[in-house]
Amino acid sequence: MLRVSRCALAAVLSLTLAAPAFAEPKPVTPAQADKALAKIRGGAGFKTALATLDAQHDRIVADTITLTEIPAPPFKEQKRAEAYMAMLKAHGLADVEMDAEGNVMGLRRGTGKPGGPVVVIAAHLDTVFPEGTNVKVRREGTRLFAPGVGDDTHSLAVLLGYIRALDAGKVQTKKDILFVGNVGEEGPGDLRGVRYLFTKGKYKDRVAAFFSMDGTSAPRVTSGAVGSRRYRVTFKGPGGHSYGAYGLVNPMAAMGTTVVEMNKIKTPTKPKTTYMTSVVGGGTSVNSIPDAIWLEVDMRSESKDELAKVDAQFLQVVAAAVDAENVARSTAQGKVSAEIKVIGDRPTGNTREDAEIVQMTAAAVRAAGYEPVLGASSTDSNVPISLGIPAVTIGSGGQGGRAHALDEWIDVSKPESVKGMSVGLAALLAMAGT
Amino acid sequence: MLRVSRCALAAVLSLTLAAPAFAEPKPVTPAQADKALAKIRGGAGFKTALATLDAQHDRIVADTITLTEIPAPPFKEQKRAEAYMAMLKAHGLADVEMDAEGNVMGLRRGTGKPGGPVVVIAAHLDTVFPEGTNVKVRREGTRLFAPGVGDDTHSLAVLLGYIRALDAGKVQTKKDILFVGNVGEEGPGDLRGVRYLFTKGKYKDRVAAFFSMDGTSAPRVTSGAVGSRRYRVTFKGPGGHSYGAYGLVNPMAAMGTTVVEMNKIKTPTKPKTTYMTSVVGGGTSVNSIPDAIWLEVDMRSESKDELAKVDAQFLQVVAAAVDAENVARSTAQGKVSAEIKVIGDRPTGNTREDAEIVQMTAAAVRAAGYEPVLGASSTDSNVPISLGIPAVTIGSGGQGGRAHALDEWIDVSKPESVKGMSVGLAALLAMAGT
């Protein structure tokens, strides 16, 4: 899910951030970008494409509902992936396939030579919600309520809308466009789908630009990668009878202290740095001293240094909590210990704000009538950004809220929705060349 | 599992405790009891029975292994119950049946009129261990290691040994003896098996005396009922995205504070009063603010008043933890709340120490060559004790340890094991009359 953590006005777009260590792309000015976008949007092909998005809006909504109601928990995206692959095939793309990681994709060939540069637009198949979550969509007027509906299922449906719209408008691009439904964006997936695309996938050396469509917000242009560090800590102890062995160390105490003490850590608002104790489990029965309690935590920052700082503090908290419990109660049957496992490690980074993809996308936002909101987040774009490949994360259009909560929703009121969708389509064409 | 919390020497057996509010049973002195036990143990029938326990010791061990390896988590005792019922039937008992709660039982008829008083001896079928726990028995010399092996599976096998021994010795009792494998002794079961026996079962108005055989210790005579109060507290909140919605209230924090603050509660050693945060779970994914975290706690005391005191303090801790979290973070999307559910409520009480069943059992311990250890615990006997029905909990003999832990064990070295088994057999005959 795209979450913007830092805002910048269009007026300060040209501010230079610390440049990543890769070959400098040719800088583009806002004026150049606005001119390019005006040309794209003025073309007959684009106009027909936009009219098609409008005319077929109900179909995009229907596809959103169909896909949302196919559960896709982390590592269990296969059923939804197969359904989406069938849809990509039905849309006439070339080389439709599922790769070894579970990503599904298909190519819309451009006019360039086969095997040339590719512009990727991807939406993620997975949701944060575990198996058994009720994913039935409830509709109230123009609002759709369901876990995962906006993060990121609606984007999958919008991508299909783009294919139909480009075909209807007979729009030919210079570069090939690869449409992707990828796995593993959310928490435990740790970006495994996109990592595969860029390290092992067959297009890995051909990606000229990467768009992740994640969440609904049309004005957002996420060019910064918020890094994250995630742990699963398992506190272990000897266990025993809650009454007969009363007084022995309890791993629950070490976990509780970790939660309480972590919540005392101070992190800066800028660069935005956060932490969360998210998931917990363990224990044998109500009348037993638990022998193992695990806790999952999420730490994020726009700044590598701040992330390292909160990370180090967390590890100190765990060590101190374990030590405190081994002093507080008896270790006669064994001590409490903590097994710390990294379950997520996402790189920080930035696509330069004067890079073509950032400027063109910001111009596409402006051309649709919005004020661009540049920011940093933790999305599939983290991977290409950290590799120095031009990448941004954009929205699917419309409104949405309560991502990662059971009452997640999107609003698919048509005028706003189509206006929002026009941003991604125009930015895509700007990078693919027409 | 039988856990003794208070010791008394045989010499102080005649100390009078607060009498429960039911018809006073005829007091029995230690001397009277010793005399009765000497007569029982001196009989030819008992001697043959004891020799049979010795001769068939390997079969008792084999039955222990067979039964231990049939998983019997709380509320999932059925498979083991069916196996045990088949064994009771094979041992020639009358009226072998499974009642509506899942208890299995069979009658060894005495010489009295049908429908007369019954002496019950029961062992519990359930273990504390959840489904999927490896229950394979590992043998090292005379030690058997497996979850639930001593608590309480060995007792089930010993009861079968008693039936064979009594039959081999042609021992006739005046009263009928009901052999029971009951469900629901451990934590979540909350004594449901024995509650059913005494409130709805077909023998409910016929029980003259009740023995629960639970755990191994032969010298223990548990005549006091340790009361308990158990809760499952579900902390609820609005949930949300760990980064995007950072700053909202987190039910994990309220749970953590509850664990930490509960651990500050001071309880007396005498009367022994304990509490335990035992099982925990919840959360959506590592990158979500959890919307629900649940915590199970166990509180116990020999004293009704002390139990009420720790109970009240715990409820205050929960309320304060919820309030603190609603102050610490934003309630813009909703507050944290706690849903508190009682999942266990066991009565306290005592069988008078001059009651026939206590005196006879203590004498049976002495006659076997041990020093009786009287005490209070939380076992199936809590139910009859609280109803004023003579009841004690005894051991199956041999040694054991680490109950409720994965490395639970018993030692089945034959001389010690048979000596221990003789206690229950003699006490049973003392109450059933020969």
Side-chain angles (χ1 to χ4, degrees):
Chain A
M1 172 59 193
L2 186 152
R3 286 289 165 179
V4 172
S5 61
R6 179 173 47 82
C7 297
L9 293 175
V12 295
L13 269 182
S14 56
L15 277 178
T16 304
L17 294 181
F22 60 92
E24 300 278 313
K26 203 183 79 184
V28 171
T29 66
Q32 289 170 326
D34 285 339
K35 196 174 158 194
L37 262 292
K39 196 179 160 201
I40 288 167
R41 292 187 66 108
F46 188 86
K47 284 180 178 166
T48 304
L50 202 55
T52 306
L53 288 179
D54 189 278
Q56 298 191 357
H57 188 254
D58 284 353
R59 180 163 171 193
I60 293 171
V61 173
D63 285 348
T64 299
I65 294 171
T66 299
L67 289 164
T68 300
E69 293 184 348
I70 304 172
F75 296 98
K76 287 173 184 166
E77 302 98 335
Q78 189 165 350
K79 218 179 142 194
R80 184 182 284 188
E82 283 166 359
Y84 195 60
M85 184 164 69
M87 287 167 152
L88 292 174
K89 201 168 271 178
H91 279 70
L93 295 187
D95 300 336
V96 173
E97 61 175 321
M98 181 182 291
D99 69 18
E101 192 68 35
N103 301 307
V104 293
M105 64 200 79
L107 206 62
R108 189 175 189 275
R109 284 280 291 122
T111 54
K113 274 189 203 159
V118 168
V119 175
V120 178
I121 185 160
H124 64 86
L125 293 158
D126 56 317
T127 75
V128 292
F129 300 95
E131 243 176 337
T133 301
N134 179 3
V135 290
K136 187 83 191 155
V137 177
R138 179 168 57 86
R139 183 162 189 162
E140 287 180 16
T142 55
R143 283 207 172 185
L144 305 181
F145 292 83
V149 66
D151 180 13
D152 183 32
T153 321
H154 184 53
S155 299
L156 292 166
V158 169
L159 261 47
L160 298 176
Y162 283 0
I163 302 169
R164 294 193 302 273
L166 292 172
D167 288 351
K170 298 188 170 59
V171 179
Q172 284 206 310
T173 56
K174 289 181 182 151
K175 298 188 180 74
D176 294 350
I177 301 175
L178 186 69
F179 289 85
V180 179
N182 64 276
V183 296
E185 193 272 343
E186 297 291 1
D190 204 28
L191 310 184
R192 68 185 178 99
V194 169
R195 274 185 219 272
Y196 186 92
L197 279 181
F198 284 98
T199 58
K200 295 180 181 164
K202 78 178 189 195
Y203 298 99
K204 72 183 171 73
D205 300 319
R206 292 173 54 192
V207 183
F210 178 87
F211 290 94
S212 166
M213 182 179 283
D214 197 347
T216 51
S217 172
R220 286 185 191 154
V221 182
T222 300
S223 57
V226 169
S228 65
R229 187 93 175 150
R230 290 164 178 165
Y231 292 106
R232 182 181 174 113
V233 182
T234 305
F235 299 92
K236 292 184 175 175
H241 195 286
S242 65
Y243 189 72
Y246 186 65
L248 295 186
V249 284
N250 183 352
M252 185 82 79
M255 179 281 293
T257 302
T258 297
V259 169
V260 168
E261 294 302 314
M262 186 181 203
N263 280 339
K264 294 179 184 168
I265 296 175
K266 303 278 177 224
T267 54
T269 318
K270 285 190 179 192
K272 185 172 174 179
T273 305
T274 67
Y275 56 80
M276 186 62 53
T277 49
S278 324
V279 196
V280 71
T284 305
S285 72
V286 69
N287 53 339
S288 303
I289 304 172
D291 58 1
I293 300 288
W294 54 267
L295 175 70
E296 289 183 0
V297 300
D298 173 51
M299 291 170 280
R300 308 200 197 200
S301 182
E302 294 170 1
S303 147
K304 199 177 163 183
D305 291 348
E306 289 296 338
L307 185 59
K309 226 186 269 179
V310 66
D311 187 0
Q313 285 178 87
F314 171 69
L315 295 175
Q316 281 169 9
V317 161
V318 171
V322 166
D323 289 348
E325 180 58 9
N326 284 328
V327 168
R329 269 163 282 274
S330 166
T331 58
Q333 292 286 338
K335 288 185 167 191
V336 163
S337 63
E339 190 182 285
I340 300 170
K341 193 181 160 198
V342 177
I343 56 168
D345 195 6
R346 302 187 180 198
T348 49
N350 276 290
T351 300
R352 284 177 61 120
E353 292 193 15
D354 60 1
E356 185 184 15
I357 192 168
V358 178
Q359 289 299 322
M360 290 297 185
T361 307
V365 170
R366 281 192 296 274
Y370 301 104
E371 183 107 342
V373 180
L374 266 79
S377 181
S378 173
T379 69
D380 278 325
S381 291
N382 280 40
V383 173
I385 289 173
S386 74
L387 295 170
I389 295 164
V392 292
T393 295
I394 60 177
S396 61
Q399 302 286 323
R402 301 289 294 143
H404 293 203
L406 292 171
D407 54 346
E408 184 175 350
W409 60 273
I410 60 170
D411 193 311
V412 291
S413 165
K414 193 162 93 169
E416 183 65 24
S417 180
V418 173
K419 181 177 156 187
M421 282 191 269
S422 77
V423 173
L425 188 64
L428 182 64
L429 293 182
M431 295 308 289
T434 49
Chain B
M1 171 58 191
L2 186 153
R3 287 290 162 178
V4 171
S5 60
R6 176 173 49 82
C7 298
L9 296 173
V12 295
L13 269 182
S14 56
L15 276 178
T16 305
L17 293 183
F22 61 91
E24 299 278 312
K26 203 182 80 185
V28 171
T29 68
Q32 289 170 327
D34 286 337
K35 197 175 157 190
L37 263 292
K39 197 181 158 196
I40 288 167
R41 291 187 67 108
F46 188 87
K47 285 179 178 167
T48 305
L50 202 56
T52 305
L53 288 179
D54 188 278
Q56 298 191 357
H57 187 256
D58 284 354
R59 180 162 171 194
I60 294 171
V61 173
D63 285 348
T64 299
I65 294 171
T66 300
L67 289 165
T68 300
E69 293 183 349
I70 304 172
F75 296 99
K76 287 174 184 165
E77 301 100 334
Q78 190 165 350
K79 220 179 140 195
R80 185 182 283 188
E82 282 165 359
Y84 195 60
M85 185 164 68
M87 289 167 152
L88 293 173
K89 202 168 270 177
H91 279 70
L93 294 186
D95 300 336
V96 173
E97 61 174 322
M98 181 182 288
D99 69 18
E101 191 69 35
N103 302 306
V104 292
M105 64 201 78
L107 207 61
R108 188 173 189 275
R109 285 279 290 121
T111 54
K113 276 189 202 160
V118 168
V119 174
V120 178
I121 186 160
H124 65 86
L125 294 158
D126 56 315
T127 76
V128 291
F129 300 95
E131 245 176 335
T133 302
N134 178 3
V135 290
K136 187 83 190 154
V137 177
R138 178 168 58 87
R139 183 162 188 162
E140 287 182 14
T142 56
R143 283 208 173 186
L144 306 182
F145 291 84
V149 65
D151 181 11
D152 185 32
T153 321
H154 184 53
S155 299
L156 293 166
V158 169
L159 262 46
L160 299 175
Y162 282 1
I163 302 169
R164 295 193 300 273
L166 291 172
D167 288 351
K170 298 190 170 57
V171 178
Q172 285 206 310
T173 56
K174 288 179 184 155
K175 297 188 181 75
D176 295 349
I177 301 175
L178 187 69
F179 289 85
V180 178
N182 64 276
V183 296
E185 194 273 341
E186 298 292 0
D190 203 28
L191 310 184
R192 68 186 179 99
V194 169
R195 275 187 220 269
Y196 186 91
L197 278 182
F198 284 98
T199 58
K200 294 181 182 162
K202 77 177 190 195
Y203 299 97
K204 72 184 172 72
D205 300 319
R206 291 173 56 191
V207 183
F210 178 87
F211 290 94
S212 165
M213 182 179 283
D214 197 347
T216 52
S217 171
R220 287 184 191 154
V221 182
T222 300
S223 57
V226 169
S228 65
R229 186 95 173 151
R230 291 165 178 164
Y231 291 106
R232 183 181 174 115
V233 181
T234 305
F235 298 93
K236 293 185 174 173
H241 195 286
S242 65
Y243 189 72
Y246 187 66
L248 294 186
V249 284
N250 183 351
M252 185 81 81
M255 180 280 294
T257 302
T258 297
V259 169
V260 168
E261 295 301 315
M262 186 181 202
N263 280 339
K264 295 179 183 167
I265 296 175
K266 303 280 177 220
T267 54
T269 318
K270 286 190 178 194
K272 184 171 173 179
T273 305
T274 68
Y275 57 80
M276 185 62 52
T277 49
S278 324
V279 196
V280 72
T284 305
S285 73
V286 69
N287 53 340
S288 303
I289 305 172
D291 58 1
I293 300 287
W294 54 268
L295 175 71
E296 289 184 359
V297 300
D298 172 51
M299 291 170 279
R300 308 199 198 200
S301 182
E302 294 169 3
S303 147
K304 199 177 163 182
D305 291 349
E306 288 297 337
L307 185 59
K309 226 186 268 178
V310 65
D311 186 0
Q313 286 178 85
F314 170 70
L315 295 176
Q316 281 168 10
V317 160
V318 171
V322 166
D323 288 348
E325 180 58 9
N326 285 327
V327 168
R329 271 164 281 275
S330 165
T331 57
Q333 293 287 338
K335 288 185 167 192
V336 164
S337 64
E339 188 182 286
I340 300 170
K341 192 180 159 197
V342 177
I343 58 168
D345 194 6
R346 303 187 178 196
T348 47
N350 276 289
T351 300
R352 284 176 59 120
E353 292 193 15
D354 60 1
E356 185 185 13
I357 192 168
V358 178
Q359 288 300 321
M360 291 296 184
T361 307
V365 169
R366 281 192 296 274
Y370 299 105
E371 184 109 338
V373 180
L374 266 79
S377 180
S378 174
T379 68
D380 277 326
S381 292
N382 280 40
V383 173
I385 289 173
S386 73
L387 295 170
I389 295 165
V392 292
T393 296
I394 59 176
S396 61
Q399 302 286 322
R402 301 289 293 145
H404 293 203
L406 292 170
D407 54 346
E408 184 175 351
W409 60 272
I410 59 171
D411 194 310
V412 292
S413 165
K414 193 161 88 169
E416 182 65 24
S417 179
V418 173
K419 182 177 154 187
M421 282 191 267
S422 76
V423 173
L425 188 64
L428 183 63
L429 293 182
M431 295 307 290
T434 49

